[in-house]
CSV table of all heavy atoms in Angstrom, one decimal:
chain,number,residue,atom,x,y,z
A,1,ASN,N,-1.8,10.5,-4.0
A,1,ASN,CA,-2.2,10.3,-2.6
A,1,ASN,C,-2.4,8.8,-2.3
A,1,ASN,O,-2.8,8.5,-1.2
A,1,ASN,CB,-3.6,11.1,-2.4
A,1,ASN,CG,-3.4,12.5,-2.3
A,1,ASN,OD1,-2.3,13.0,-2.0
A,1,ASN,ND2,-4.5,13.3,-2.5
A,2,ARG,N,-2.3,7.9,-3.3
A,2,ARG,CA,-2.5,6.6,-3.0
A,2,ARG,C,-1.2,5.9,-2.5
A,2,ARG,O,-0.2,6.6,-2.3
A,2,ARG,CB,-2.8,5.8,-4.3
A,2,ARG,CG,-4.2,6.4,-4.9
A,2,ARG,CD,-4.5,5.5,-6.2
A,2,ARG,NE,-5.7,6.1,-6.8
A,2,ARG,CZ,-6.2,5.6,-7.9
A,2,ARG,NH1,-5.9,4.5,-8.3
A,2,ARG,NH2,-7.3,6.2,-8.5
A,3,LEU,N,-1.3,4.6,-2.0
A,3,LEU,CA,-0.1,4.0,-1.4
A,3,LEU,C,1.0,4.0,-2.4
A,3,LEU,O,0.9,3.4,-3.5
A,3,LEU,CB,-0.5,2.5,-0.9
A,3,LEU,CG,-1.6,2.5,0.2
A,3,LEU,CD1,-1.8,1.0,0.6
A,3,LEU,CD2,-1.1,3.3,1.3
A,4,GLN,N,2.2,4.5,-2.0
A,4,GLN,CA,3.3,4.6,-2.9
A,4,GLN,C,4.6,4.0,-2.3
A,4,GLN,O,5.1,4.4,-1.3
A,4,GLN,CB,3.7,6.1,-3.2
A,4,GLN,CG,2.6,6.9,-4.0
A,4,GLN,CD,2.6,6.4,-5.5
A,4,GLN,OE1,3.7,6.3,-6.2
A,4,GLN,NE2,1.4,6.0,-5.9
A,5,PRO,N,4.8,2.7,-2.7
A,5,PRO,CA,6.0,1.9,-2.2
A,5,PRO,C,7.3,2.6,-2.6
A,5,PRO,O,7.5,3.2,-3.7
A,5,PRO,CB,5.8,0.5,-2.8
A,5,PRO,CG,5.2,0.7,-4.1
A,5,PRO,CD,4.2,1.9,-3.7
A,6,LYS,N,8.2,2.6,-1.7
A,6,LYS,CA,9.5,3.2,-2.0
A,6,LYS,C,10.4,2.3,-2.8
A,6,LYS,O,11.4,2.7,-3.3
A,6,LYS,CB,10.3,3.5,-0.6
A,6,LYS,CG,9.5,4.3,0.3
A,6,LYS,CD,10.4,4.6,1.6
A,6,LYS,CE,9.7,5.5,2.6
A,6,LYS,NZ,10.4,5.7,3.9
A,7,MET,N,10.2,1.0,-2.8
A,7,MET,CA,10.9,0.1,-3.6
A,7,MET,C,10.1,-1.1,-4.1
A,7,MET,O,9.0,-1.2,-3.6
A,7,MET,CB,12.1,-0.4,-2.7
A,7,MET,CG,11.6,-1.0,-1.3
A,7,MET,SD,13.0,-1.6,-0.3
A,7,MET,CE,13.4,-3.1,-1.1
A,8,SER,N,10.7,-1.9,-4.9
A,8,SER,CA,10.0,-3.2,-5.3
A,8,SER,C,10.3,-4.2,-4.3
A,8,SER,O,11.4,-4.3,-3.7
A,8,SER,CB,10.5,-3.5,-6.8
A,8,SER,OG,10.1,-2.5,-7.7
A,9,PRO,N,9.4,-5.2,-4.2
A,9,PRO,CA,9.9,-6.4,-3.3
A,9,PRO,C,11.1,-7.1,-3.8
A,9,PRO,O,11.4,-7.1,-5.0
A,9,PRO,CB,8.6,-7.3,-3.3
A,9,PRO,CG,7.5,-6.3,-3.9
A,9,PRO,CD,8.2,-5.4,-4.8
A,10,SER,N,11.9,-7.7,-3.0
A,10,SER,CA,12.9,-8.6,-3.3
A,10,SER,C,12.4,-9.8,-4.1
A,10,SER,O,11.2,-10.1,-4.0
A,10,SER,CB,13.7,-9.0,-2.1
A,10,SER,OG,14.2,-8.0,-1.4
A,11,ALA,N,13.3,-10.6,-4.7
A,11,ALA,CA,12.8,-11.8,-5.3
A,11,ALA,C,12.4,-12.8,-4.2
A,11,ALA,O,12.9,-12.9,-3.1
A,11,ALA,CB,14.0,-12.3,-6.1
A,12,ILE,N,11.5,-13.7,-4.7
A,12,ILE,CA,11.1,-14.7,-3.8
A,12,ILE,C,12.2,-15.7,-3.5
A,12,ILE,O,13.0,-16.1,-4.4
A,12,ILE,CB,10.0,-15.6,-4.4
A,12,ILE,CG1,8.6,-14.7,-4.7
A,12,ILE,CG2,9.4,-16.7,-3.5
A,12,ILE,CD1,7.5,-15.3,-5.5
A,13,SER,N,12.4,-16.1,-2.3
A,13,SER,CA,13.5,-17.0,-1.9
A,13,SER,C,13.1,-17.8,-0.6
A,13,SER,O,12.1,-17.5,0.0
A,13,SER,CB,14.8,-16.1,-1.6
A,13,SER,OG,14.6,-15.2,-0.5
A,14,GLY,N,14.1,-18.5,-0.3
A,14,GLY,CA,13.8,-19.5,0.9
A,14,GLY,C,13.2,-20.8,0.6
A,14,GLY,O,13.4,-21.4,-0.6
A,15,PRO,N,12.6,-21.6,1.6
A,15,PRO,CA,11.9,-22.8,1.2
A,15,PRO,C,11.0,-22.8,0.0
A,15,PRO,O,10.1,-22.1,0.0
A,15,PRO,CB,11.4,-23.1,2.6
A,15,PRO,CG,12.0,-22.4,3.6
A,15,PRO,CD,12.3,-21.1,2.9
A,16,ALA,N,11.2,-23.8,-0.9
A,16,ALA,CA,10.3,-23.9,-2.0
A,16,ALA,C,8.9,-24.1,-1.7
A,16,ALA,O,8.0,-23.6,-2.4
A,16,ALA,CB,10.8,-24.9,-3.0
A,17,HIS,N,8.5,-24.8,-0.6
A,17,HIS,CA,7.2,-25.1,-0.4
A,17,HIS,C,6.4,-23.9,0.1
A,17,HIS,O,5.2,-24.0,0.2
A,17,HIS,CB,7.1,-26.2,0.7
A,17,HIS,CG,7.9,-25.9,2.0
A,17,HIS,ND1,9.2,-26.2,2.1
A,17,HIS,CD2,7.4,-25.5,3.1
A,17,HIS,CE1,9.5,-25.8,3.3
A,17,HIS,NE2,8.5,-25.5,4.0
A,18,LEU,N,7.2,-22.7,0.4
A,18,LEU,CA,6.5,-21.6,0.9
A,18,LEU,C,6.1,-20.6,-0.3
A,18,LEU,O,5.4,-19.7,-0.2
A,18,LEU,CB,7.4,-20.7,1.9
A,18,LEU,CG,7.6,-21.5,3.2
A,18,LEU,CD1,8.4,-20.5,4.1
A,18,LEU,CD2,6.3,-21.8,3.9
A,19,PHE,N,6.7,-20.9,-1.4
A,19,PHE,CA,6.4,-20.1,-2.7
A,19,PHE,C,5.0,-20.1,-3.1
A,19,PHE,O,4.4,-19.2,-3.6
A,19,PHE,CB,7.2,-20.6,-3.9
A,19,PHE,CG,8.8,-20.5,-3.7
A,19,PHE,CD1,9.6,-21.0,-4.7
A,19,PHE,CD2,9.3,-19.8,-2.5
A,19,PHE,CE1,10.9,-20.9,-4.5
A,19,PHE,CE2,10.7,-19.8,-2.4
A,19,PHE,CZ,11.5,-20.3,-3.4
A,20,ARG,N,4.3,-21.1,-2.7
A,20,ARG,CA,2.8,-21.2,-3.0
A,20,ARG,C,1.9,-20.0,-2.3
A,20,ARG,O,0.8,-19.8,-2.7
A,20,ARG,CB,2.2,-22.6,-2.6
A,20,ARG,CG,2.2,-22.8,-1.2
A,20,ARG,CD,1.6,-24.3,-0.9
A,20,ARG,NE,2.8,-25.1,-1.2
A,20,ARG,CZ,2.7,-26.5,-1.0
A,20,ARG,NH1,1.6,-27.0,-0.5
A,20,ARG,NH2,3.7,-27.2,-1.3
A,21,LEU,N,2.5,-19.4,-1.3
A,21,LEU,CA,1.9,-18.3,-0.5
A,21,LEU,C,2.0,-17.0,-1.3
A,21,LEU,O,1.3,-16.1,-1.1
A,21,LEU,CB,2.6,-18.1,0.8
A,21,LEU,CG,2.4,-19.3,1.7
A,21,LEU,CD1,3.1,-18.9,3.1
A,21,LEU,CD2,0.9,-19.6,2.1
A,22,ALA,N,3.0,-16.9,-2.3
A,22,ALA,CA,3.1,-15.7,-3.1
A,22,ALA,C,1.9,-15.4,-3.9
A,22,ALA,O,1.2,-16.3,-4.4
A,22,ALA,CB,4.3,-15.8,-3.9
A,23,GLY,N,1.4,-14.1,-3.9
A,23,GLY,CA,0.2,-13.8,-4.7
A,23,GLY,C,-1.0,-13.8,-3.9
A,23,GLY,O,-2.1,-13.4,-4.2
A,24,LYS,N,-0.9,-14.3,-2.6
A,24,LYS,CA,-2.1,-14.4,-1.7
A,24,LYS,C,-1.9,-13.3,-0.6
A,24,LYS,O,-0.7,-13.0,-0.3
A,24,LYS,CB,-2.2,-15.7,-1.0
A,24,LYS,CG,-2.4,-16.8,-2.0
A,24,LYS,CD,-2.4,-18.1,-1.4
A,24,LYS,CE,-2.7,-19.3,-2.4
A,24,LYS,NZ,-2.8,-20.6,-1.8
A,25,CYS,N,-3.0,-12.9,0.1
A,25,CYS,CA,-3.0,-11.9,1.1
A,25,CYS,C,-3.9,-12.5,2.2
A,25,CYS,O,-4.8,-13.0,2.0
A,25,CYS,CB,-3.5,-10.6,0.7
A,25,CYS,SG,-2.3,-9.8,-0.5
A,26,PHE,N,-3.5,-12.1,3.5
A,26,PHE,CA,-4.2,-12.6,4.7
A,26,PHE,C,-4.4,-11.4,5.6
A,26,PHE,O,-3.5,-10.6,5.8
A,26,PHE,CB,-3.4,-13.6,5.5
A,26,PHE,CG,-3.0,-14.8,4.4
A,26,PHE,CD1,-1.8,-14.8,3.7
A,26,PHE,CD2,-3.9,-15.9,4.4
A,26,PHE,CE1,-1.5,-15.9,2.9
A,26,PHE,CE2,-3.5,-17.0,3.6
A,26,PHE,CZ,-2.4,-16.9,2.8
A,27,SER,N,-5.6,-11.2,6.2
A,27,SER,CA,-6.0,-10.0,6.9
A,27,SER,C,-6.2,-10.3,8.4
A,27,SER,O,-6.5,-11.5,8.8
A,27,SER,CB,-7.1,-9.3,6.4
A,27,SER,OG,-8.2,-10.1,6.4
């Protein structure tokens, strides 16, 4: 009954300076 993702996230890509946002969450 908990949140069940259908797939795993894609690999981190794009501008390297945005990688620091990985692992954080914003509400």
Side-chain angles (χ1 to χ4, degrees):
N1 285 342
R2 300 186 187 183
L3 295 182
Q4 291 291 311
K6 297 179 181 178
M7 55 178 282
S8 298
S10 298
I12 298 176
S13 63
H17 56 276
L18 295 181
F19 294 177
R20 69 189 71 179
L21 295 175
K24 300 178 181 179
C25 293
F26 306 88
S27 61

